[in-house]
Amino acid sequence: MSARDDAAPVTLHLDRVPGVLGRIVHERAADYAGADPALGAARPRTRRFEAVLRQPGLSLIAEVKRASPSQGAIAPLEPLDAALAYQAGGARAISVLTEPRHFDGTPQALRDVVGGVTVPALRKDFVVHPAMLREAAEWGASAALLMVSVLHEATADYLQMAHHLGLDALVEVHDERELDLALAAGAPIIGVNNRDLTTLNIDLEVSPRLIRRARDAGYGGVLVAESGYRSAAELDRVRDLADAVLVGSSLAGSGDLTRAARDLMRV
Ligand SMILES: O=C(O)c1ccccc1NCC(=O)[C@H](O)[C@H](O)COP(=O)(O)O
């Protein structure tokens, strides 16, 4: 029996999630309503995703993103070709969207990327059910996204489930209250999203502000600045603060993914 097979089911309060994000997580919850929540046997945790983000210098997590609620269609990327182009451009990890309705993602996109690149891959989805983490591990991902704005107090439980499955977790926050929850949950990797996922507004001051707050609180984990970056100059705001940046739309829509990744990171 796994560490969590005999645990009480974790209840999520998705009615508390407003706006665009609320619609997406309700759809995902319906997708997984009948899924088996059992995680199965524990898998060894390699911390591969965390390790690449801890390398010296700002690490790039480049995202395979074909569409989004804020942009509509971005580019008809072939996921593995895109991931290989990002890797050639210096990306240290690849984020792959698997959400189908709003991001044109698929499970096969993640499997293809995992099978074809040497860098670790993140399952980028709206995790609302343990089965989504089990799938991420089965599909070969090194990490999965956990959103505090969705999981709230259940973040620590989902973090424990991810670790049980051998996955790292990118625990995403957008404001001080969410950051404090992520810190209390003991998240080894915290991502600060500049995009407000209820309104889709971007404010590039959010990442520096919350990253400073985490460091001031003595946090020694990995900090990732996420969303809205279009140029190396914009990245200067977090270059000496963050361990990594997560960039999707500007790279995916560039037409030359390798060049765009190099230009962004000035390599
Ligand atoms: O990107 C969106 O429009 C979006 C809408 C609703 C929920 C999530 C959304 N995006 C997820 C992300 O945070 C980004 O894919 C990721 O951080 C990269 O952002 P960007 O570089 O701005 O594409």
Side-chain angles (χ1 to χ4, degrees), residues 62-86:
E63 187 155 281
V64 178
K65 187 173 186 181
R66 301 201 286 207
S68 74
S70 47
Q71 309 261 314
I74 298 172
L77 302 176
E78 196 290 308
L80 177 55
D81 290 348
L84 288 169
Y86 285 150

Side-chain angles (χ1 to χ4, degrees), residues 66-211:
R66 301 201 286 207
S68 74
S70 47
Q71 309 261 314
I74 298 172
L77 302 176
E78 196 290 308
L80 177 55
D81 290 348
L84 288 169
Y86 285 150
Q87 185 175 267
R92 291 181 181 162
I94 307 294
S95 167
V96 185
L97 280 150
T98 53
E99 193 282 338
R101 296 180 187 85
H102 306 274
F103 295 86
D104 196 14
T106 63
Q108 194 57 40
L110 177 57
R111 286 193 289 256
D112 288 349
V113 169
V114 167
V117 299
T118 55
V119 296
L122 167 76
R123 180 181 189 186
K124 194 86 182 311
D125 209 315
F126 299 83
V127 169
V128 289
H129 193 287
M132 299 176 84
L133 293 175
R134 193 183 62 233
E135 288 175 346
E138 287 169 359
W139 299 342
S142 298
L145 178 72
L146 299 179
M147 302 170 76
V148 176
S149 55
V150 173
L151 301 172
H152 301 285
E153 295 76 15
T155 301
D157 291 298
Y158 272 80
L159 183 62
Q160 190 189 339
M161 291 184 229
H163 290 170
H164 173 87
L165 287 160
L167 298 168
D168 287 330
L170 175 60
V171 176
E172 184 177 287
V173 303
H174 178 67
D175 60 26
E176 279 74 5
R177 195 190 54 82
E178 291 178 8
L179 174 62
D180 292 350
L181 256 170
L183 293 173
I189 309 171
I190 297 177
V192 180
N193 203 332
N194 292 312
R195 183 179 282 113
D196 179 331
L197 299 183
T198 61
T199 63
L200 304 185
N201 292 336
I202 288 177
D203 175 0
L204 295 186
E205 289 310 312
V206 173
S207 281
R209 189 181 84 232
L210 294 190
I211 287 173

Side-chain angles (χ1 to χ4, degrees), residues 2 5-7 10 13 15 34 84 158 160 185-186 188 242 257:
S2 82
D5 280 351
D6 58 349
V10 178
H13 300 280
D15 290 341
L84 288 169
Y158 272 80
Q160 190 189 339
L257 279 60

